[in-house]
Amino acid sequence: MVDFSLNENDKNIIRALRKQGEVQRKYARYYDDHEEELAPDEFPEAAEFDYIKQMEADRGHDGCTPTVFFLLKTITEYRGDFLRLRLPPYALGNATLASVGTEEQQKKWGHMLLAMANTEPGCGSDSKAIETTATLDGDEWVLNGEKIFVSHGVRAGGVVVWATLDKSVGRGAIKAFLVPKYAPGFILAKEEKKMGNRYSDTAAIVFKDCRIPRENLLGLDETIKTKGGGGFKGLMKTFNLTRPFVSARGIGHVLACREFVTDELKKEGIEIDWEVGQYKRTAVQQKLIELEAELEAATLATMHAGWLADKGVYNNLEASVCKSKAGDISRKGPQLALEILGASGITHDQLVEKWFRDTRATDIYEGTAEIQRLVIARSILNYSSQELK
Amino acid sequence: MISFELSKEQELVQKTTKEFAAGELRNIARDCDEDNKIPQKVLDKAWELGLANAAISEEYGGIGMERSALTTVLICEELSYGCATMASAIMSPSAFIQPLIDFGTEDQKKEYLPLHAGEKFKAAAMALHEPQFTFDPTDLRTRAEKKGDTWIINGVKRLVPFGDTAGHFLVIAGTGDAGLCGIDAFILPRDIGGLTIDSKTEKTMGLKPLPFSRLSLDNVAVPDTNRLGGDEGIDGRALINSVRIANSAICVGLSKAVGDYAIPYAKERVAFGEPIAKKQAIAFMLADMYTETECMRWMVWKAASQLDQKVDATKATTLACHYVNQKTIQIADNGVQVFGGHGYIRELPLEMWLRNARTLSVMEGMVSA
């Protein structure tokens, strides 16, 4: 049955997570101001909310399906200003390990926080153009190249590095390697300063004759595929899993903005009457409706992508649909919120300006707005990546 | 629990409607629009499938399918994928039938539902829209005053579909304070004293072939028994939300039609040595059409599922309608743009879809989910 309601168990968990979020928010400003400090694993009051883990363990099977529930949870956590990004399995490297690693590899490294290194100074969204190389030397892989925008690259225990076995081949030669932080030749070159998401570190890493054991190739497949995607498909598969979650994060921040605006205007006596026609609404009320409608659209598209994943349906298209929509609202939403709030909204006293800066990244990382549209267009037009560039 | 799972019955209804729309509606849409005619034969064929009246229970001569707003929005989308005008025409009696099922007293159901339970199209309509440019269902100018056991109704209604042939109208009038809780619905036979139906049908930019009428109500006196729901009246919110969301579902079908129609054309049409679909300016437009249509559908489903769960769907409906109205017109407009000059020529359906999109997206609706 088509249903968009939550049962009591799930509602209670969301309520508890919102409460936890109110506490986490107290620290949001500090770690935004102190970019150089590593946020702690847990916020000081974390233990008071241990009961949420128990509630989750007890929620039974009649609630939302796992991915949908996890998306709802992510939205709520990011609404609260999430500080615990560094704990596994939240990092992209962990998601890659889960989708392309062998069972043994997953067991060996699954507990570690794993960053993912894909982007290079010369390529971003065009992942197949990467130039970092991996060459087999005896029983070791030797990596050479430079990776940038590595989220959690500073704190992670290891990094999943995408490198090519043969630059002349293209996608079929691109493989993922697990590189522990202290492998010889692993050079942490730089910690980036960013517009937002300052609690989370972003690194530039150089691999200079960096040597790792042969068994650190994720999936252990050393063959170069001259046809098809090869290891590159694993990268894309990772994105199918993670795009809805990136969407959920953006949605969470926009939700925070929307709620802040609604609450503040309510204090001033401005509320939306949901049933009246447009003649009886002010321009501000109309903007609020637009903000909420776009947010709803992104949320439902994200839930749909998650729901398909839970059904075991291939959701490449829907993952990009939700990311495209959530990317859109992650830019438009906070902009609209600040437009409504006026000058006081941009001050350091409020978190809205921080959410604006934080969530701007949603439409960039794990595939820009434009890449999502390419993926969607290829899918509906039945074009390959060669046919539609 | 959040789920997008249709029931087996809903899947079947969706499939049947899709096939009907593909086989019977898409190919006649242009001719209907040019000739301003709604073929009775096609209306009857649709009614043989029971699309608008399947929820009438067996005791009133119907099939007795589960009454579901969600099933109705599925039907509306699929019919509209074939032709939005025909979808509105086929389903227009639902705006009389569904409120009767939902709010009618036993006597009212017994009297009126059997008239519409058959396998042939029988016109009946909701009279909701009014002529003033500030028309708003929460603030109707048509008013009904109670005098003893009688209600006296005064006002003007317009854009009433099939006003020329409908046997009965469900006239929506204000009886209380402003707001959807201050409205009532009255069952009026077409020959009631004081009701004048303009003999000329109204001409419109879109949904052109639909015979729209203007109704003038001058001290129309109806007994208390004609007030829908009797002493209890109706849930004005549920009634209007059902109309609004069905209209949005028709917009979703139209939007999907535009997107799907543009894809093969963009792949065939060559400019500067390659199909225009290979140019990002076009490809991205098509991608956005797809994305928005998906989002629109889920928003419509959410409101419809709330109507089925009998919770207040006003917010979900307002959000859905706001979103759908904006995106539909954008999609239909971009549809014309992809086709360029061909989109503007009346041989292809694009310009018709744009007119229909603009029409639907400013209407409250004439169908009930």
Side-chain angles (χ1 to χ4, degrees):
Chain A
M1 193 183 79
V2 173
D3 187 8
F4 296 92
S5 65
L6 299 181
N7 70 5
E8 279 311 308
N9 276 349
D10 286 356
K11 260 191 218 164
N12 286 337
I13 295 171
I14 297 298
R15 244 178 248 138
L17 284 168
R18 287 174 69 95
K19 220 181 272 172
Q20 173 183 276
E22 302 298 332
V23 177
Q24 283 180 321
R25 265 187 201 176
K26 291 197 297 192
Y27 303 99
R29 181 55 80 185
Y30 181 86
Y31 290 103
D32 185 59
D33 284 347
H34 299 81
E35 193 173 13
E36 68 290 350
E37 278 185 43
L38 287 186
D41 276 354
E42 289 286 12
F43 59 105
E45 295 91 336
E48 290 171 28
F49 294 94
D50 274 349
Y51 70 92
I52 301 179
K53 290 189 195 98
Q54 194 54 47
M55 285 171 90
E56 282 180 43
D58 296 342
R59 58 186 283 271
H61 298 293
D62 55 344
C64 292
T65 47
T67 310
V68 171
F69 178 72
F70 198 35
L71 287 168
L72 274 176
K73 204 177 130 177
T74 306
I75 291 174
T76 318
E77 286 171 332
Y78 273 75
R79 173 203 163 272
D81 225 313
F82 202 44
L83 288 172
R84 298 187 299 170
L85 203 68
R86 53 181 292 203
L87 295 180
Y90 294 107
L92 206 43
N94 294 87
T96 313
L97 177 68
S99 63
V100 298
T102 63
E103 220 166 285
E104 203 175 317
Q105 289 173 328
Q106 294 187 30
K107 240 182 250 162
K108 191 169 167 193
W109 294 308
H111 64 283
M112 261 161 97
L113 177 71
L114 298 175
M116 188 173 94
N118 174 42
T119 303
E120 298 181 358
C123 81
S125 294
D126 183 12
S127 304
K128 62 182 183 299
I130 58 176
E131 294 198 331
T132 299
T133 55
T135 321
L136 196 58
D137 179 25
D139 261 351
E140 285 182 327
W141 292 103
V142 182
L143 271 61
N144 277 292
E146 189 183 347
K147 294 286 183 182
I148 58 168
F149 303 159
V150 182
S151 298
H152 322 301
V154 177
R155 328 174 193 205
V159 178
V160 172
V161 181
W162 291 88
T164 177
L165 302 188
D166 182 350
K167 263 192 269 188
S168 65
V169 174
R171 300 192 298 165
I174 295 173
K175 305 279 180 186
F177 299 87
L178 193 125
V179 185
K181 189 81 161 279
Y182 299 106
F186 181 112
I187 303 160
L188 188 62
K190 192 177 168 200
E191 209 177 322
E192 303 287 355
K193 294 192 192 315
K194 306 189 296 293
M195 176 181 180
N197 292 325
R198 292 181 186 167
Y199 63 95
S200 133
D201 66 80
T202 304
I205 300 170
V206 172
F207 301 95
K208 198 173 173 197
D209 293 326
C210 176
R211 303 185 85 89
I212 51 168
R214 189 168 183 171
E215 63 267 22
N216 282 25
L217 166 65
L218 291 187
L220 299 175
D221 179 8
E222 296 179 3
T223 53
I224 294 174
K225 307 242 175 355
T226 45
K227 272 185 187 162
F232 188 77
K233 272 195 178 149
L235 179 58
M236 292 301 119
K237 208 171 138 195
T238 305
F239 285 146
N240 286 351
L241 282 173
T242 56
R243 276 174 182 163
F245 287 97
V246 173
S247 302
R249 293 175 198 172
I251 288 167
H253 276 137
V254 181
L255 179 64
C257 292
R258 204 271 296 154
E259 287 182 358
F260 181 83
V261 173
T262 316
D263 291 349
E264 290 306 312
L265 290 186
K266 199 171 169 183
K267 287 181 198 160
E268 305 289 333
I270 300 164
E271 274 186 86
I272 298 174
D273 180 338
W274 291 103
E275 58 178 51
V276 294
Q278 59 176 341
Y279 304 101
K280 299 207 172 62
R281 289 196 182 111
T282 62
V284 164
Q285 287 166 329
Q286 201 62 33
K287 270 182 200 166
L288 276 175
I289 289 178
E290 187 178 332
L291 171 56
E292 195 144 348
E294 294 278 341
L295 189 57
E296 179 88 330
T299 308
L300 293 177
T302 303
M303 294 299 154
H304 185 240
W307 181 78
L308 287 176
D310 283 334
K311 275 182 68 103
V313 177
Y314 181 64
N315 69 347
N316 178 54
L317 171 59
E318 289 78 9
S320 281
V321 163
C322 80
K323 176 69 168 56
S324 149
K325 199 62 218 174
D328 230 29
I329 181 67
S330 71
R331 292 157 72 170
K332 229 191 270 173
Q335 284 172 21
L336 209 53
L338 286 170
E339 191 181 314
I340 296 169
L341 291 170
S344 281
I346 56 143
T347 61
H348 196 261
D349 311 352
Q350 329 291 352
L351 286 170
V352 184
E353 67 83 25
K354 175 183 170 293
W355 295 327
F356 172 89
R357 287 184 286 110
D358 285 351
T359 202
R360 181 59 184 83
T362 308
D363 215 18
I364 302 171
Y365 73 137
E366 294 189 50
T368 60
E370 290 68 30
I371 290 299
Q372 306 310 332
R373 280 167 178 81
L374 269 180
V375 174
I376 296 165
R378 281 174 196 152
S379 174
I380 61 176
L381 288 160
N382 201 15
Y383 275 156
S384 68
S385 54
Q386 286 308 303
E387 289 170 306
L388 180 60
K389 288 182 193 170
Chain B
M1 158 192 178
I2 293 176
S3 167
F4 295 77
E5 189 94 59
L6 298 175
S7 70
K8 288 275 165 285
E9 192 177 50
Q10 285 167 337
E11 274 176 7
L12 188 67
V13 169
Q14 190 184 37
K15 186 169 167 272
T16 310
T17 317
K18 192 192 281 277
E19 286 165 4
F20 174 78
E24 305 281 345
L25 300 185
R26 180 64 72 86
N27 52 340
I28 62 164
R30 175 50 84 184
D31 287 346
C32 289
D33 193 74
E34 290 293 322
D35 305 340
N36 283 331
K37 289 220 171 69
I38 304 265
Q40 186 68 33
K41 216 173 57 194
V42 182
L43 287 179
D44 287 342
K45 259 194 187 164
W47 273 59
E48 277 169 33
L49 297 173
L51 298 177
N53 62 356
I56 297 178
S57 67
E58 287 171 24
E59 58 174 315
Y60 306 120
I63 306 168
M65 199 173 77
E66 191 189 359
R67 167 80 184 93
S68 160
L70 199 108
T71 308
T72 315
V73 297
L74 295 175
I75 294 170
C76 288
E77 178 183 340
E78 294 304 338
L79 285 177
S80 177
Y81 186 76
C83 171
T85 306
M86 286 305 294
S88 305
I90 291 164
M91 296 302 284
S92 64
S94 71
F96 183 84
I97 296 168
Q98 313 283 40
L100 260 142
I101 296 174
D102 292 345
F103 310 112
T105 62
E106 211 39 58
D107 287 344
Q108 288 168 342
K109 288 184 191 174
K110 216 180 279 172
E111 187 170 351
Y112 300 106
L113 288 180
L115 300 175
H116 297 280
E119 290 191 350
K120 277 204 161 22
F121 177 85
K122 190 167 182 335
M126 182 182 282
L128 171 64
H129 288 87
E130 297 180 347
Q132 69 274 15
F133 288 113
T134 55
F135 166 69
D136 175 356
T138 67
D139 192 12
L140 296 170
R141 293 220 180 134
T142 303
R143 302 285 304 176
E145 305 286 344
K146 195 168 185 189
K147 294 223 168 102
D149 288 343
T150 307
W151 290 86
I152 309 293
I153 313 172
N154 279 292
V156 181
K157 293 290 184 184
R158 77 179 308 181
L159 296 170
V160 180
F162 292 100
D164 54 345
T165 50
H168 291 90
F169 299 104
L170 194 63
V171 174
I172 312 300
T175 50
D177 295 335
L180 294 181
C181 296
I183 63 171
D184 265 290
F186 296 90
I187 306 162
L188 266 61
R190 72 177 291 120
D191 54 3
I192 195 166
L195 172 67
T196 314
I197 303 165
D198 203 324
S199 59
K200 283 198 305 254
T201 53
E202 301 198 274
K203 291 184 176 168
T204 48
M205 177 173 96
L207 309 182
K208 249 177 79 204
L210 267 182
F212 285 118
S213 297
R214 183 186 277 255
L215 270 53
S216 303
L217 299 104
D218 183 17
N219 284 317
V220 173
V222 287
D224 217 5
T225 47
N226 283 36
R227 180 193 184 211
L228 187 61
D231 290 338
E232 285 184 25
I234 57 168
D235 177 348
R237 286 199 179 125
L239 181 118
I240 296 295
N241 289 337
S242 301
V243 170
R244 286 175 171 167
I245 210 64
N247 194 61
S248 287
I250 292 174
C251 290
V252 177
L254 188 155
S255 300
K256 184 157 181 3
V258 174
D260 286 358
Y261 195 79
I263 287 170
Y265 176 80
K267 290 180 79 168
E268 263 171 39
R269 171 76 184 181
V270 172
F272 303 103
E274 64 174 0
I276 58 171
K278 292 194 176 180
K279 298 178 188 302
Q280 291 188 350
I282 301 294
F284 284 13
M285 232 192 267
L286 298 176
D288 283 344
M289 285 181 188
Y290 183 85
T291 298
E292 300 301 2
T293 307
E294 290 275 294
C295 291
M296 280 155 69
R297 181 182 305 114
W298 311 140
M299 289 175 83
V300 167
W301 282 21
K302 182 170 176 177
S305 74
Q306 289 184 353
L307 283 167
D308 284 344
Q309 288 164 4
K310 309 278 178 224
V311 297
D312 184 10
T314 307
K315 182 177 172 182
T317 305
T318 301
L319 290 176
C321 292
H322 175 85
Y323 194 82
V324 166
N325 289 345
Q326 287 202 334
K327 304 301 178 187
T328 301
I329 189 73
Q330 199 179 311
I331 289 170
D333 192 46
N334 281 338
V336 172
Q337 200 62 20
V338 170
F339 283 75
H342 296 288
Y344 198 70
I345 303 290
R346 296 225 299 274
E347 199 177 314
L348 294 183
L350 283 311
E351 66 80 34
M352 175 176 76
W353 286 339
L354 178 55
R355 284 185 287 109
N356 287 346
R358 184 67 286 178
T359 303
L360 285 163
S361 59
V362 293
M363 289 188 86
E364 294 290 330
M366 66 202 99
V367 169
S368 174

